[in-house]
Amino acid sequence: MRVLLLTGGLDSTALAWMLRPELALFVDYGQLPAKGEERAARAVADAVGIELQIRRVDMAQFGHGSMSPTGLPVSTSSRAPEFWPYRNQMLVTLAAMALAASPLTEIVIGTVAGDDAHPDGTLDFVNALDRLIRLQAGVHVVAPAIGLSTLDLVRESAVPRSVLGWTFSCHTGEWACGSCRGCNKHRQVIECLAADEGAVP
Ligand SMILES: [Zn+2]
């Protein structure tokens, strides 16, 4: 079976629609937008028709960057303000732990082209993480959209607007702030899709 790490954002939502994994997993790890992400993930899983499991673990005290309540300065290893060092490997490990008793074969993550602005959004990182997780139980870590931009992924997935409407990408809180990098990217993608359809966004 495959599990998709579903955040309720555009990338993981498009993958949910395209791949229809047996299971989606949302992790509330203490990120500022957790409530908004969880609401979106629940709605997306329901709209796509896949099972969603939710786990909570408080990593707030270990956070950095704009998604973290600590307000600690962003690590120098990335210029992106939302970068939370070591988070992605933590989330993949938590997914593997949560499903260690299940017949899990793949953990699917929503890394896309452009995420390599973060050191844990590169192909090298995904390959290293795949090898690390595979060493323990043969479970693969895959990022099927790593060669695609978010816009190309959403177009290729053909995820309907009625499902995209549930997505949530803000980095800073429960409700979309409209001005963070997550909100800006979300708006740009929706505007491009509207232009595809010849409609006014
Ligand atoms: Zn925002």
Side-chain angles (χ1 to χ4, degrees):
M1 62 170 278
R2 289 185 296 184
V3 63
L4 167 70
L5 293 185
L6 182 63
T7 67
L10 292 167
D11 304 320
S12 58
T13 294
L15 284 173
W17 182 262
M18 192 161 69
L19 301 176
R20 310 283 170 138
E22 290 84 352
L23 181 65
L25 177 68
F26 172 78
V27 182
D28 173 350
Y29 53 91
Q31 71 275 39
L32 288 173
K35 285 192 169 63
E37 290 184 2
E38 180 178 334
R39 187 184 302 115
R42 285 179 184 275
V44 166
D46 191 45
V48 177
I50 53 177
E51 181 190 347
L52 175 69
Q53 291 191 15
I54 293 174
R55 295 286 194 280
R56 302 183 201 284
V57 56
D58 187 0
M59 298 199 294
Q61 291 183 48
F62 298 87
H64 294 75
S66 59
M67 295 182 75
S68 149
T70 63
L72 290 173
V74 177
S75 158
T76 54
S77 56
S78 172
R79 286 171 299 170
E82 69 277 7
F83 180 56
W84 183 320
Y86 307 104
R87 178 201 58 181
N88 285 358
Q89 66 214 64
M90 194 71 192
L91 294 178
V92 167
T93 300
L94 289 169
M97 290 169 73
L99 300 167
S102 304
L104 186 66
T105 54
E106 274 187 3
I107 298 171
V108 183
I109 58 176
T111 305
V112 292
D115 284 345
D116 55 3
H118 310 154
D120 57 2
T122 66
L123 184 59
D124 272 355
F125 178 86
V126 174
N127 288 340
L129 193 53
D130 173 49
R131 181 159 186 273
L132 179 66
I133 298 294
R134 195 156 30 91
L135 277 172
Q136 293 194 42
V139 176
H140 278 276
V141 178
V142 298
I146 198 164
L148 296 171
S149 68
T150 295
L151 180 59
D152 289 340
L153 169 61
V154 170
R155 280 174 173 152
E156 197 164 296
S157 70
V159 54
R161 293 288 292 273
S162 59
V163 176
L164 283 181
W166 293 111
T167 58
F168 177 82
S169 303
C170 188
H171 295 155
T172 63
E174 179 177 355
W175 305 103
C177 74
S179 59
C180 72
R181 277 164 48 93
C183 285
N184 284 333
K185 178 177 164 184
H186 190 276
R187 182 170 54 241
Q188 287 162 9
V189 168
I190 298 299
E191 283 174 358
C192 287
L193 295 172
D196 284 354
E197 295 167 6
V200 176

